[in-house]
Amino acid sequence: MPPEAQGRPQGLPGLKAVYGCVPASFAPLSDAGGPITVQALLENIIQAADVFTTSPLIAQHHLVTLADPLNNFPAQPVIPLMRTDRVAEKAVEVLNDVSASLTTEDLVMLNERASGSNKENPKDVAKTLLKEKGFDR
């Protein structure tokens, strides 16, 4: 987990309070659950990690996502924000429609294509997804 997880309610204190889990040790990693964290898992340096569910590294390396039935880790949905006094109402409607249609699987795919081994242009990846979802009006 990131270094700040040592004191955050959803970090080590939450694991102890919510699940009665006290890890034998704590390895602070500052790559936000990215390749350094995943490599540490694969090399058995660590046995559990905090990785975003939208990371394509989970499926690529056949990692197991643990359930959190007691909701120690709050959901972190993607939420678009804009100033309504600067954007036309139609743009707000379209953004809301697109946002409502995005799934975790879509976000994993977007991340994989834009940052994975192919490193496609994010703008092109987004255009393709919008077309696939029928937003190419």
Side-chain angles (χ1 to χ4, degrees):
M1 298 176 97
E4 58 271 15
Q6 287 183 294
R8 284 191 178 163
Q10 71 273 24
L12 294 182
L15 288 173
K16 181 178 180 181
V18 176
Y19 289 107
C21 175
V22 179
S25 64
F26 177 77
L29 297 170
S30 296
D31 76 329
I36 294 169
T37 299
V38 170
Q39 193 61 40
L41 279 169
L42 296 174
E43 293 176 3
N44 203 30
I45 295 168
I46 59 175
Q47 287 70 51
D50 185 6
V51 177
F52 292 110
T53 57
T54 55
S55 172
L57 297 173
I58 295 170
Q60 286 173 7
H61 296 289
H62 310 287
L63 300 173
V64 175
T65 302
L66 301 175
D68 181 23
L70 301 178
N71 300 310
N72 182 63
F73 298 95
Q76 297 178 341
V78 176
I79 301 173
L81 300 172
M82 63 175 52
R83 290 185 50 166
T84 55
D85 63 334
R86 303 258 175 127
V87 179
E89 182 60 33
K90 182 65 178 166
V92 173
E93 289 174 23
V94 170
L95 185 57
N96 282 335
D97 289 347
V98 170
S99 179
S101 78
L102 285 176
T103 65
T104 299
E105 292 77 19
D106 291 333
L107 295 172
V108 170
M109 182 275 301
L110 289 168
N111 284 335
E112 170 59 29
R113 290 183 54 193
S115 64
S117 57
N118 293 336
K119 295 211 186 327
E120 297 176 51
N121 181 316
K123 186 175 180 179
D124 294 337
V125 173
K127 280 183 180 181
T128 299
L129 179 73
L130 290 173
K131 185 173 182 176
E132 288 171 0
K133 289 193 169 279
F135 291 105
D136 59 337
R137 331 177 190 140

